[in-house]
Amino acid sequence: MADNLSDTLKKLKITAVDRTDDSLEGCLDCLLQALAQSNMETSEKIQGSGILQLFASLLIPQSSCTAKVANIIAEIAKNEFMRIPCVDAGLISPLVQLLNSKDQEVLLQTGRALGNICYDSHEGRSAVDQAGGAQIVIDHLRSLCSITDPANEKLLTVFCGMLMNYSNENDSLQAQLINMGVIPTLVKLLGIHCQNAALTEMCLVAFGNLAELESSKEQFASTNIAEELVKLFKKQIEHDKREMVFEVLAPLAENDAIKLQLVEAGLVECLLEIVQQKVDSDKEEDIAELKTASDLMVLLLLGDESMQKLFEGGKGNVFQKVLSWIPSNNHQLQLAGALAIANFARNDGNCIHMVDNGIVEKLMDLLDRHVEDGNVTVQHAALSALRNLAIPVVNKAKMLSAGVTEAVLKFLKSEMPPVQFKLLGTLRMLIDAQEAAEQLGKNVKLVERLVEWCEAKDHAGVMGESNRLLSALIRHSKSKDVIKTIVQSGGVKHLVTMATSEHVIMQNEALVALALIAALELGTAEKDLESAKLVQILHRLLADERSAPEIKYNSMVLICALMGSEPLHKEVQDLAFLDVVSKLRSHENKSVAQQASLTEQRLAVES
């Protein structure tokens, strides 16, 4: 065999120059036979013989041997070590030229050769890019799209595969294909050739690649991709095939317009059916499919229009189905159910309807099942849903009387920042009412935990929410007892730090809470305010031109309230506040200017 191959290569060198087609064809057949028996070994021999350079001259449209030469190149380019030599031998340009051939076999083998050279090869892709190969292939796909005979479908499959290898994991080449209009062409292909498994599969892989790119979503949205994918999805019986469709649906469903199209095309009904079929199975692939289907369902609810369409005033079949997931014994369904409710709870109307129809009790029951060694993701999702439901004013009292705060406080001992974050957010949403704020603000365990979380520097969200809840307890309760609890637990210094936050809303909440402390319990808090350097911070906020008007206003209110404390009063005098305040009398904001006059009078009297 080896001797035979060496003879063939020698003979090929001579016949390639003479161009005697018959003997040339015999040599090429020998090579193809050798490659079929031992591809790698034969490829190494071909590379060593220096014959690759000759192939470039054999790739001519008129020759009857052209398809075989392209086939040999396709076979040797299956080996990674042969791809760069193929580029270096100058084979790309003549191969791209052959894409203009009318001969179907030449096109097929050329497509294979270019596809294999591009596979995972930067050099191969660059050479095809420079030779303009992609545009010619896309033009072929367009013109051949409607022909359904097997030979044409095979060619279309090879061309799709070539474009995939050309652009896989390469953003700029994927963007190039999108600009060339490949997406509508591939969607059309999928619709016409959905009976052809190989071509369908190739289209799906191509969609999966392109859908990751943000710029592709608008093009996809202008086609009927949603309809085609749902049609295809309904036909799939095998798990692997459905998995392929899922892999395209997930990135596409991140786009709001496509979410709505998928809902209108009936995807949700398919997903609910899968959930129904797989919920009791303990087979690994069924559990995976249940997760994929329920996750996708939740993703579809992230779009405002698609969510509202599925809510149907709280009477929709989908909404009712999702409700039934919450009491289920399957953690994945509990999670998806709670996340879906959190997504439905994105406008006041939906929230009010759900609270009036008993959703809070269902979520509290779910949380109860996860208090001890519970599932963290389920805890997080259920708390997210409760937090969203607590946003409309009319829901707060109903949720408080349903016992939501008690249910939520069971998770105070959680060490999981995502759970801590949602717990804090839920409580903060609920305590607009004075009574609730007072009750929670006197809960020493809660306040001590908040003070501890105010120092969670690794978790900015938890730290911010803890500060905001401390402030809210004071602002909404206006209670001396709450202030005493917070002072005794060491919370004052955190409120002072919060007054320097980069977020104006947090600065403001802190200043209002500190003003209430100064007005109601100045004696109790005096030492803490002093050691937290509150007066120096207020001086800085008033002197800083970048401070928002409301920050300047509330800082001056707070200065006036601090005058009742001897040590703090002395600090105010030492820092020459009069200079800073008198400048603010001419401030463009009327409230700031008026408060500056009042503060100036107060400082002048007290000095």
Side-chain angles (χ1 to χ4, degrees), residues 114-125:
L114 288 169
N116 290 351
I117 291 170
C118 284
Y119 184 78
D120 226 359
S121 163
H122 170 69
E123 292 77 8
R125 292 169 180 181

Side-chain angles (χ1 to χ4, degrees), residues 383-566:
L383 288 167
S384 295
L386 286 171
R387 181 199 172 279
N388 289 2
L389 290 166
I391 292 172
V393 177
V394 293
N395 280 356
K396 296 181 198 290
K398 292 173 187 170
M399 289 176 72
L400 286 167
S401 61
V404 171
T405 48
E406 292 77 7
V408 169
L409 285 171
K410 290 176 187 171
F411 294 91
L412 258 189
K413 55 183 184 287
S414 171
E415 292 303 330
M416 292 298 181
V419 174
Q420 295 167 355
F421 181 70
K422 288 297 175 187
L423 172 152
L424 292 163
T426 308
L427 291 176
R428 191 164 62 78
M429 284 301 150
L430 283 170
I431 60 161
D432 280 10
Q434 189 167 359
E435 195 184 326
E438 190 159 358
Q439 192 188 344
L440 280 175
K442 290 191 287 194
N443 179 331
V444 177
K445 266 194 183 141
L446 169 66
V447 173
E448 284 177 348
R449 195 72 161 129
L450 291 183
V451 171
E452 184 188 326
W453 287 341
C454 282
E455 290 170 4
K457 290 190 171 50
D458 293 343
H459 302 286
V462 172
M463 198 162 92
E465 277 292 342
S466 304
N467 278 303
R468 293 190 76 183
L469 184 52
L470 268 187
S471 157
L473 291 170
I474 294 170
R475 288 182 294 112
H476 296 306
S477 72
K478 301 179 179 60
S479 150
K480 288 184 164 213
D481 290 339
V482 170
I483 291 170
K484 280 180 186 160
T485 307
I486 288 173
V487 173
Q488 282 155 9
S489 303
V492 170
K493 65 179 179 191
H494 297 299
L495 291 170
V496 175
T497 305
M498 183 181 168
T500 64
S501 164
E502 59 194 19
H503 305 291
V504 173
I505 191 165
M506 285 176 69
Q507 278 187 296
N508 218 25
E509 288 171 359
L511 290 169
V512 173
L514 288 165
L516 283 163
I517 291 175
L520 298 172
E521 276 296 324
L522 186 55
T524 314
E526 185 179 70
K527 278 197 174 62
D528 289 351
L529 293 170
E530 204 180 341
S531 62
K533 301 199 169 17
L534 173 62
V535 174
Q536 288 91 317
I537 285 168
L538 293 174
H539 189 275
R540 213 163 57 230
L541 290 175
L542 287 172
D544 188 345
E545 286 174 11
R546 292 165 304 175
S547 294
E550 59 267 42
I551 302 302
K552 291 190 186 300
Y553 177 87
N554 283 321
S555 295
M556 288 188 283
V557 170
L558 182 48
I559 284 293
C560 293
L562 295 176
M563 300 303 273
S565 151
E566 204 177 312

Side-chain angles (χ1 to χ4, degrees), residues 190 194-197 200-201 204 228-246 273-274 277 289:
L190 183 68
C194 54
Q195 302 303 327
N196 185 305
T200 298
E201 209 162 293
L204 286 175
E228 293 298 354
L229 286 175
V230 173
K231 217 184 328 179
L232 185 65
F233 191 78
K234 284 177 179 170
K235 278 199 292 212
Q236 304 309 323
I237 300 156
E238 293 166 48
H239 168 79
D240 293 351
K241 295 282 192 295
R242 278 209 295 249
E243 192 63 34
M244 284 193 81
V245 185
F246 269 138
E273 204 176 311
I274 286 177
Q277 289 166 3
E289 199 165 351

Side-chain angles (χ1 to χ4, degrees), residues 21 52 144 170 199 205-206 211 235 259 281 307 335 351 383 399 448 475 519 526 534 538:
D21 271 12
L52 271 183
L144 300 171
N170 184 313
L199 184 48
V205 179
K235 278 199 292 212
K259 282 185 181 80
S281 169
M307 177 271 288
L335 171 64
C351 289
L383 288 167
M399 289 176 72
E448 284 177 348
R475 288 182 294 112
E526 185 179 70
L534 173 62
L538 293 174

Side-chain angles (χ1 to χ4, degrees), residues 104 107-108 141 144 150-160:
Q104 201 161 25
L107 287 174
L108 183 78
L141 289 177
L144 300 171
N152 188 62
E153 289 192 322
K154 192 175 176 187
L155 180 58
L156 289 169
T157 306
V158 164
F159 278 160
C160 282

